[in-house]
Amino acid sequence: MDSLKSLLDQKKYDLVLTLTEGSKSPNDLFYRISAFIYLGKYEDALYVIQDNQSILETNLVSLISAHINLLCILGRFEQAYSTLDYYNNLPYQSQAVEEILRKMPQVIALEEKKNSQVKYYDDEQVEQMLSSNISEDVLLGLDIVRKRDVLSFLPFLEKVMLNFPKQSIRNYTLMLLVQKEVDRNIKILHQGEIIEVNPKLLTAPFTSITFNEVIRNFDREFKDPTLSQTATQLFSEYSLYLYPRDYKYTANELTGIFYLIAKEYINDPVFELEDYCDTNGLDIYKISSAIKEIKDIIEDF
């Protein structure tokens, strides 16, 4: 039987729900939540959280993000803020949890603003958002464009991809064009170099063989679910930053790199760089250099 991650990738959401029914495993429950979300059954996903709160709190990084985002999707913004207060009052767990708690107020505010105002913006206002140097403005503009004729905003989207200071925002813009299957050559500033791509010919992010192999390694090799989920979140951010370029490290190297970074993020006092590299046949100098490089990317994300 394929793994639950593989089944989600294959869009076999009903099968994931069947396999996870009645399970009290945190890992199974998160996949169950994801399956409900993919099916648009947001209330059912929220029920899974409410019925299994204490179990899911073993992985606060994933839980906080899923819980708050679900409440925002359902338009329950006051509840989202009160739920965030609850998580803020829990005992300190790790740097990764603190980071997600720090980001969530902005997430709620942005979703609330989008929910209340999106239909009132005319095209000129949307163009002004896309011309802004503020990330939140551009993200709101991208969300509105997603529901309109993307080609009519293409000159502004191209400017975002060439001029916006943050790589993540430039890549979010490219991903919108990939989703809309825009069939023309587009230039994007990528890690200091202007490259030309055709969005229609690009595969969606998070679907490559290497990405899925690394995620499977996390699930299979990491004994601590919190470590696995933290590594997955950090690796996803790094993958988004690289998109549409390929990784320059092998799947085994990426597994080790994010294992070691995630241990630091969850406040694990044992740093195993030398032992891990020796045990897994990895070049300690290459891995050490990669960890520094990728941590800088993540912190700038």
Side-chain angles (χ1 to χ4, degrees):
M1 174 62 70
D2 291 334
S3 70
L4 294 174
K5 169 68 169 60
S6 177
L7 292 174
L8 278 182
D9 290 341
Q10 298 170 44
K11 302 183 180 180
K12 296 180 180 179
Y13 309 129
D14 290 326
L15 181 53
V16 172
L17 295 177
T18 299
L19 293 174
T20 57
E21 187 171 2
S23 175
K24 293 299 179 182
S25 159
N27 197 51
D28 288 357
L29 290 169
F30 278 113
Y31 281 118
R32 187 170 181 81
I33 291 166
S34 295
F36 277 130
I37 291 172
Y38 280 121
L39 289 169
K41 298 181 177 180
Y42 305 121
E43 289 283 3
D44 289 327
L46 194 59
Y47 290 148
V48 175
I49 294 176
Q50 293 170 345
D51 292 343
N52 301 278
Q53 182 79 33
S54 60
I55 297 173
L56 293 168
E57 283 183 9
T58 58
N59 184 353
L60 278 174
V61 171
S62 295
L63 176 59
I64 293 168
S65 179
H67 200 171
I68 298 300
N69 279 295
L70 272 171
L71 291 170
C72 289
I73 289 171
L74 293 167
R76 301 177 188 173
F77 301 107
E78 289 301 320
Q79 187 178 350
Y81 282 116
S82 63
T83 299
L84 185 59
D85 285 341
Y86 164 78
Y87 288 123
N88 270 310
N89 287 321
L90 292 177
Y92 175 85
Q93 186 182 95
S94 69
Q95 180 184 346
V97 172
E98 294 301 304
E99 283 295 311
I100 201 76
L101 287 171
R102 182 180 61 80
K103 293 176 181 177
M104 279 298 113
Q106 287 181 302
V107 170
I108 299 171
L110 180 59
E111 291 301 317
E112 188 173 18
K113 183 178 180 181
K114 284 159 55 176
N115 184 72
S116 62
Q117 298 181 336
V118 66
K119 61 185 178 182
Y120 300 112
Y121 290 120
D122 59 30
D123 286 356
E124 185 176 348
Q125 290 173 304
V126 176
E127 291 167 359
Q128 290 174 354
M129 292 175 198
L130 297 174
S131 302
S132 171
N133 281 324
I134 300 172
S135 297
E136 290 76 13
D137 289 345
V138 178
L139 289 171
L140 178 56
L142 293 175
D143 194 67
I144 297 170
V145 171
R146 194 183 311 277
K147 303 174 181 66
R148 300 186 187 179
D149 176 17
V150 67
L151 293 180
S152 65
F153 294 96
L154 194 55
F156 294 91
L157 298 174
E158 289 177 315
K159 287 179 181 178
V160 172
M161 291 191 293
L162 283 173
N163 300 324
F164 198 84
K166 290 183 71 68
Q167 183 70 57
S168 57
I169 301 298
R170 300 198 296 269
N171 281 9
Y172 281 131
T173 308
L174 174 60
M175 287 165 58
L176 171 62
L177 299 184
V178 172
Q179 180 190 10
K180 295 296 185 180
E181 298 185 338
V182 173
D183 187 11
R184 60 183 67 188
N185 290 338
I186 304 288
K187 291 181 179 178
I188 178 171
L189 177 61
H190 195 279
Q191 300 177 50
E193 177 187 358
I194 294 177
I195 61 174
E196 192 168 80
V197 296
N198 184 323
K200 185 177 176 62
L201 302 180
L202 294 176
T203 58
F206 315 129
T207 59
S208 72
I209 293 173
T210 300
F211 180 85
N212 284 305
E213 183 178 350
V214 173
I215 296 298
R216 284 195 296 271
N217 288 346
F218 293 163
D219 289 341
R220 182 174 59 248
E221 297 178 16
F222 298 1
K223 306 305 180 186
D224 182 349
T226 300
L227 182 64
S228 175
Q229 292 290 338
T230 301
T232 298
Q233 177 196 346
L234 296 172
F235 180 52
S236 297
E237 291 181 1
Y238 174 64
S239 299
L240 175 58
Y241 179 88
L242 283 186
Y243 185 74
R245 286 180 163 162
D246 293 329
Y247 305 101
K248 63 180 180 181
Y249 304 105
T250 67
N252 286 339
E253 288 171 339
L254 289 166
T255 301
I257 290 165
F258 282 92
Y259 168 78
L260 294 164
I261 294 176
K263 282 180 72 70
E264 183 176 344
Y265 267 72
I266 66 171
N267 208 32
D268 190 318
V270 180
F271 189 69
E272 306 172 359
L273 175 61
E274 186 172 352
D275 288 344
Y276 187 95
C277 290
D278 286 345
T279 301
N280 292 276
L282 299 175
D283 183 331
I284 187 171
Y285 298 106
K286 184 177 184 180
I287 299 303
S288 177
S289 175
I291 288 173
K292 182 180 185 308
E293 170 199 331
I294 291 172
K295 281 174 62 178
D296 288 343
I297 288 173
I298 291 169
E299 288 171 8
D300 188 50
F301 186 80

